[in-house]
Amino acid sequence: MYFRKKQEVKVDEKPLVRLETVKTQEVEQIQEFTATVEANVVNNIVPSMSLRINDILVEVGDHVRKGQVLAQMDKTNLLQSQTQLENIQLEYDRAFELYKVGGASKQSLDAQKTQLDVAKTAYENLKENTRLVSPINGIVTARNYDSGDMIGGEPVVTIEQMSPVKLLVNVSESFYTKVSKGMPVKVKVDAFDNEEFTGKVNLIYPTIDPQTRTFPVEVVMANTNQKVRPGMFVRVTMNFGVKDYVVVPDQAVVKQS
């Protein structure tokens, strides 16, 4: 007895699909940039002439106030200039008295006055460079000499203002018209496990770099507690508003490398 083999019937399996409507939606234009923290002001304190240092009154890490004395220089040249100024002042006073009674010419008196003015300028210059003071409130970040050293090519001390601090961000030229002064930004600091701070745009540079097609934007952070320090690596997030885009569900997009 023979049995006929049952014929297999192939059924085309149709994939299950779900229909979605393609639509437009407002999407926030958020961009992230990297930057390095910089001090708001950096002052390298150095006299205008080579002098010996008598005493440096601050150390690295010290907080200093505007007008605070940082170092005292050798006073030998200052004392000599003071003596010379006093002698020239006496000579001028005598010449002026003679001029009043007709015993000296106006030309001679003018020459004495010029000599006196030069001596005063020299004395004031030496006075300013003998007693070095801080022009800002800040922190001492460098001390390059010890008491008794002669001034070389480096500043005696460096003062940096860390409240506020600034960041220089290179932004793509496509966002040039969307960046405005005072625009708020968010700043994440890698050193503090991406802790978020706030800042604002303080300065927009007017030119585009033709090589990178970016323009620099200066961001300022208040940094009132001086937690963020110059040299730290940060990530700056800027929100350029919203823009309408055609959107589809993520599962509907086939991703390929």
Side-chain angles (χ1 to χ4, degrees):
M1 183 180 291
Y2 297 95
F3 296 94
R4 179 176 296 178
K5 188 176 181 181
K6 188 177 181 180
Q7 188 175 1
E8 295 180 357
V9 179
K10 291 184 178 181
V11 178
D12 292 336
E13 295 183 0
K14 295 182 180 181
L16 297 176
V17 296
R18 186 175 66 206
L19 297 179
E20 292 283 354
T21 303
V22 176
K23 58 184 179 180
T24 60
Q25 181 177 316
E26 290 184 342
V27 179
E28 285 189 326
Q29 302 300 291
I30 296 176
Q31 295 290 323
E32 184 178 86
F33 307 92
T34 59
T36 301
V37 179
E38 299 177 15
N40 187 47
V41 179
V42 179
N43 282 133
N44 293 310
I45 311 301
V46 59
S48 62
M49 58 196 71
S50 181
L51 296 170
R52 186 176 298 279
I53 302 171
N54 274 356
D55 194 15
I56 299 179
L57 306 174
V58 293
E59 190 51 83
V60 172
D62 287 352
H63 290 256
V64 297
R65 303 179 308 278
K66 182 178 180 179
Q68 180 177 335
V69 179
L70 305 174
Q72 295 280 5
M73 315 302 290
D74 183 71
K75 295 183 178 181
T76 302
N77 292 341
L78 178 65
L79 295 175
Q80 291 176 350
S81 179
Q82 184 179 7
T83 301
Q84 184 181 17
L85 175 61
E86 290 171 352
N87 291 334
I88 294 175
Q89 182 70 57
L90 288 173
E91 292 176 3
Y92 174 77
D93 292 342
R94 293 193 192 102
F96 184 71
E97 292 299 325
L98 288 172
Y99 172 73
K100 287 196 298 184
V101 298
S105 66
K106 182 68 166 59
Q107 183 179 4
S108 175
L109 182 66
D110 289 343
Q112 289 282 353
K113 183 65 167 60
T114 300
Q115 189 177 1
L116 178 62
D117 290 342
V118 171
K120 283 182 177 179
T121 301
Y123 173 75
E124 291 298 329
N125 185 45
L126 276 169
K127 186 178 179 181
E128 181 181 346
N129 286 276
T130 301
R131 186 171 175 267
L132 305 182
V133 300
S134 176
I136 59 172
N137 296 327
I139 299 176
V140 180
T141 58
R143 170 179 163 163
N144 300 309
Y145 300 95
D146 290 319
S147 299
D149 288 346
M150 284 292 294
I151 294 295
E154 294 182 317
V156 179
V157 294
T158 298
I159 309 295
E160 297 189 27
Q161 188 183 74
M162 299 186 187
S163 180
V165 291
K166 61 185 180 181
L167 322 168
L168 201 62
V169 182
N170 291 317
V171 180
S172 173
E173 67 174 334
S174 60
F175 298 111
Y176 188 82
T177 59
K178 298 180 181 180
V179 180
S180 59
K181 188 173 181 178
M183 174 180 173
V185 301
K186 295 180 180 178
V187 181
K188 290 183 178 179
V189 183
D190 280 17
F192 303 130
D193 296 326
N194 288 326
E195 182 179 348
E196 191 171 274
F197 300 83
T198 58
K200 64 179 180 179
V201 174
N202 182 60
L203 182 65
I204 303 169
Y205 284 69
T207 56
I208 308 293
D209 187 331
Q211 301 297 324
T212 61
R213 294 299 174 187
T214 60
F215 63 98
V217 173
E218 181 183 284
V219 173
V220 170
M221 291 174 52
N223 198 32
T224 51
N225 58 5
Q226 298 187 355
K227 185 176 182 179
V228 179
R229 295 303 176 95
M232 287 183 173
F233 180 80
V234 297
R235 303 176 192 276
V236 180
T237 302
M238 294 185 176
N239 190 331
F240 298 107
V242 295
K243 188 175 182 180
D244 288 339
Y245 278 98
V246 175
V247 295
V248 296
D250 182 67
Q251 294 179 340
V253 179
V254 178
K255 299 176 183 179
Q256 294 181 339
S257 60

